[in-house]
Amino acid sequence: MRRNDRTGFFDWSLTWALAFILAASSLVLVAGDAAPDRVPSLVTWTPETIVAASSGDAFRGMLLAKRCDHCHGSEGFSPVTSTPNLAGISALAIWKQLEDFRAHKRRSRAMEPIAESLSARDVEDVVSYYAKLPIYPDPQDNRVFPQGQPSSSRAALASRLVTFGDGDRGIPPCQACHGPVAYKIGVPSLANQNGDYVLDELEGFASGTRANDINQPMRIIAALLSEDERHALAEYYGAGLGLQPAGSTAKK
Amino acid sequence: MNWRKVRTFLFTVLALCLIPATRYYQVDEPLLRFLRGSLHVDPLSLHLSGEFVENNLGTELHADGSVTVRMIAEQYLFVPHCILVPAGVPINLRITSADAVHSLSFEGTEYAVKTLPGTISKAELMFSKAGKYKTVCREFCGPGHYAMRSELKVVPRDQFPALRPEERGNCAAQ
Ligand SMILES: [Cu+2]
């Protein structure tokens, strides 16, 4: 009788020992992962992503875009300088932004709920519509682009950064990623973008309130630019100077 | 003394000894690589997981005083843009590329480290003099190549900030 009791006791102690070890090791593993990875965006530019993001149905997108007209304009040119123009911007670039709004990787009180209400297919369709919109002026719509011309010294300051960057400070030329010289994948053209929006984004990147750029290029660049340079660049793009041939304003 | 009691005790001690082992793995250890089913880093998803996620870039200070520096080279920037390291300490550099072939060189030194997408380039560096070193890309990587420059700041050993294990040093930390 006593012997049996003892056997039972030992079996339990083994079970408890095992349970304790499991609990302890999982605690250690959790403690080891104390700092969670900071992930700027869930998007990766795999071939599958690129195919999905660039194969939307533009006609269906046109119908969906009725919801966006109010803020982004019926022809993709916004009536407010702080809201982005979407006309003619690469489908991949706006697709990524919508995905980031959906995943709350880019914060915006206006856009997060709207993007969340779109399905994956809706996003593909609506971006393919905006990417196909022409960017030439139309007297019929209420666009505010382009905005006023900056003084020639301001334009020259911005133009130098757009065309050559600043090698000493390690600022690459904007046009090497944003076009027209070259486009890095998923980078929006700025040539027909509103000035106040460009400024807001540059300030967001510099302060870290916008931090959805993969591998941090814009956070680094915006932080290297001075306040004055950020304003000059916003005026340059807002005035439509980015639509002129590269470098044409650099010498003035 | 019952043999089963002894066995339980020994088993518990052995198992407890294994717990610390779960902490000390390196991402590129063969076993882990095998478990991940891949022989190299995926240049397209460096930002999602693994060694090169944002908060793991920069200078890691080890308990023995040596440091590991992790960087990404991309068109047309080195990330992080400014690296802070202590002088006279062996530096274990680990760099990968997110796109093209780049080459990280430190002006005024003989060091140059070529980096390709999909692989980790490792190098042992040591800077005996404190000061600022320009880092320059020496491999043509596209139209923004000539502006692909950043900075390495070497500070005397006693001025290097004491970092907690999850912290990574950069110029702003000083
Ligand atoms: Cu390079």
Side-chain angles (χ1 to χ4, degrees), chain A residues 106-126:
Chain A
R106 178 173 170 192
R107 311 311 308 245
S108 162
R109 214 172 305 145
M111 282 309 299
E112 274 171 82
I114 293 172
E116 263 191 302
S117 74
L118 301 172
S119 71
R121 161 125 195 258
D122 292 347
V123 172
E124 289 159 20
D125 293 348
V126 82

Side-chain angles (χ1 to χ4, degrees), chain A residues 124-136:
Chain A
E124 289 159 20
D125 293 348
V126 82
V127 303
S128 87
Y129 168 67
Y130 278 117
K132 287 190 173 73
L133 287 181
I135 62 165
Y136 43 75

Side-chain angles (χ1 to χ4, degrees), chain B residues 78-92:
Chain B
F78 291 110
V79 189
H81 194 258
C82 183
I83 302 272
L84 184 73
V85 295
V89 164
I91 293 160
N92 185 1

Side-chain angles (χ1 to χ4, degrees), chain B residues 60-73:
Chain B
E60 179 182 9
L61 185 62
H62 300 292
D64 65 356
S66 66
V67 298
T68 298
V69 171
R70 292 191 185 81
M71 291 174 81
I72 297 177

Side-chain angles (χ1 to χ4, degrees), chain A residues 13-111:
Chain A
S13 79
L14 194 67
T15 317
W16 280 114
L18 263 173
F20 170 74
I21 289 157
L22 275 175
S25 51
S26 59
L27 264 181
V28 168
L29 273 176
V30 169
D33 287 351
D37 293 348
R38 207 200 91 74
V39 175
S41 167
L42 301 179
V43 173
T44 53
W45 295 117
T46 57
E48 299 80 53
T49 311
I50 293 167
V51 169
S54 49
S55 57
D57 171 357
F59 184 75
R60 189 166 171 273
M62 183 181 81
L63 304 176
L64 285 164
K66 291 278 167 274
R67 286 180 57 196
C68 327
D69 282 5
H70 175 59
C71 299
H72 292 287
S74 55
E75 300 190 9
F77 277 87
S78 159
V80 185
T81 53
S82 58
T83 303
N85 297 329
L86 299 177
I89 295 191
S90 126
L92 294 183
I94 35 183
W95 179 86
K96 175 180 184 285
Q97 298 309 317
L98 286 171
E99 288 298 315
D100 287 351
F101 286 131
R102 267 150 61 92
H104 307 289
K105 291 295 182 185
R106 178 173 170 192
R107 311 311 308 245
S108 162
R109 214 172 305 145
M111 282 309 299

Side-chain angles (χ1 to χ4, degrees), chain A residues 7 10-11 21 28 36-41 43-45 164 167-171 184 214-217 219 224, chain B residues 4-5 12 15 19 23 44-45 47-48 53-55 72 74-77 79 81 98 134 143 146-147 149:
Chain A
T7 323
F10 278 119
D11 282 346
I21 289 157
V28 168
D37 293 348
R38 207 200 91 74
V39 175
S41 167
V43 173
T44 53
W45 295 117
F164 308 115
D168 286 339
R169 285 185 290 161
I171 301 173
K184 257 181 85 169
I214 297 172
N215 299 329
Q216 317 175 43
R219 272 172 280 169
L224 289 170
Chain B
R4 297 188 69 160
K5 208 171 176 179
T12 312
I19 294 176
R23 295 286 304 266
L44 300 176
S45 58
H47 61 294
L48 292 185
V53 292
E54 274 182 33
N55 46 325
I72 297 177
E74 66 177 327
Q75 285 164 324
Y76 306 100
L77 296 150
V79 189
H81 194 258
K134 283 254 170 248
Y146 70 90
R149 288 159 163 260

Side-chain angles (χ1 to χ4, degrees), chain B residues 102-125:
Chain B
H102 302 275
S103 176
L104 169 66
S105 69
F106 300 92
E107 251 176 23
T109 74
E110 71 273 32
Y111 297 131
V113 184
K114 197 167 182 139
T115 171
L116 298 88
T119 63
I120 303 175
S121 298
K122 300 161 200 174
E124 277 281 334
L125 317 174

Side-chain angles (χ1 to χ4, degrees), chain B residues 73-76 78 101-103 137-141 145 148:
Chain B
E74 66 177 327
Q75 285 164 324
Y76 306 100
F78 291 110
V101 181
H102 302 275
S103 176
C137 181
R138 291 265 180 244
E139 181 86 32
F140 182 79
C141 58
H145 161 72
M148 185 165 169

